Amino acid sequence: APKEKPPSFHSEKPKLLDSARTTATRNADFPLADAIGLAGFGLLTFQWLMDDVLVLRCFGMASCGSMIFFNFLRKPPVMLPVYFNVLFLGINGYFIAKIVDERRDVDLDAVEAALHAAAFVDVGLSKRGTRDLVRAGETVDRTEGDVLSREGEPRRRKVAVVVRGAIRVDAAGERLA
């Protein structure tokens, strides 16, 4: 006797009620596995609507968790997606920890605080980012009349930010600022 073929997506059209369930979800052992699997796909889709990377990664972790649950409860369990989702949980967890650490408030010294308020708060650089930037460079005090750069000289690969005082910019003998 010929073997009966299992239904596939390419064979006969499923009934309306059956079209919401695939053969993969029909094999689930746990009654809520279908809902958990669909919720995972919904979270996966919804995460890409997030503006904040931290929220996006949190949705990603929730999606991975539901996908682990869904694939593990299938009969038989499908372990490759479980393993990859465990990996994705770890990756997202690592980056969530980095983002939270970056966003935590830090104490700035007087120069760092003045620089942050004057130049970086409006562009969204965190206090920690400002502190790291200042520590990567050097703080230099200048007196009135000091020349930082002359027209025609090779450019320096440095950035100067005036925290207190003013700076004058001339080009071709004309005052620009």
Side-chain angles (χ1 to χ4, degrees):
K3 269 189 167 179
E4 186 177 317
K5 284 186 166 183
S8 74
F9 291 110
H10 304 289
S11 62
E12 61 193 64
K13 297 218 178 220
K15 296 178 186 167
L16 182 60
L17 187 58
D18 286 340
S19 66
R21 297 173 57 123
T22 66
T23 56
T25 59
R26 276 188 234 130
N27 290 331
D29 233 0
F30 188 67
L32 291 177
D34 290 349
I36 292 168
L38 290 173
F41 283 113
L43 288 168
L44 185 64
T45 303
F46 191 67
Q47 80 180 17
W48 298 110
L49 300 174
M50 301 297 114
D51 289 334
D52 187 342
V53 175
L54 178 62
V55 176
L56 181 142
R57 290 202 175 271
C58 290
F59 269 92
M61 286 193 72
S63 173
C64 288
S66 67
M67 295 278 88
I68 289 169
F69 194 70
F70 171 73
N71 284 297
F72 190 73
L73 292 177
R74 288 176 57 190
K75 194 172 186 179
V78 184
M79 296 310 291
L80 186 61
V82 171
Y83 298 147
F84 272 104
N85 279 290
V86 168
L87 174 67
F88 298 151
L89 273 176
I91 291 169
N92 278 316
Y94 170 77
F95 282 106
I96 286 171
K98 276 186 71 170
I99 292 167
V100 168
D101 185 50
E102 170 68 27
R103 291 183 182 182
R104 73 181 164 83
D105 199 23
V106 294
D107 293 327
L108 301 177
D109 66 25
V111 172
E112 293 166 344
L115 181 61
H116 183 69
F120 298 123
V121 74
D122 291 335
V123 295
L125 186 64
S126 67
K127 286 183 178 180
R128 184 171 182 166
T130 300
R131 185 189 69 191
D132 293 345
L133 184 63
V134 168
R135 290 181 181 176
E138 62 181 292
T139 302
V140 179
D141 289 323
R142 300 288 183 172
T143 59
E144 187 175 341
D146 284 350
V147 176
L148 300 177
S149 178
R150 294 192 187 282
E151 187 175 0
E153 289 181 355
R155 292 188 311 188
R156 300 181 203 163
R157 294 194 173 270
K158 294 184 178 183
V159 174
V161 178
V162 178
V163 177
R164 288 181 295 276
I167 193 165
R168 189 173 111 187
V169 180
D170 295 331
E174 183 180 332
R175 186 175 186 162
L176 302 176

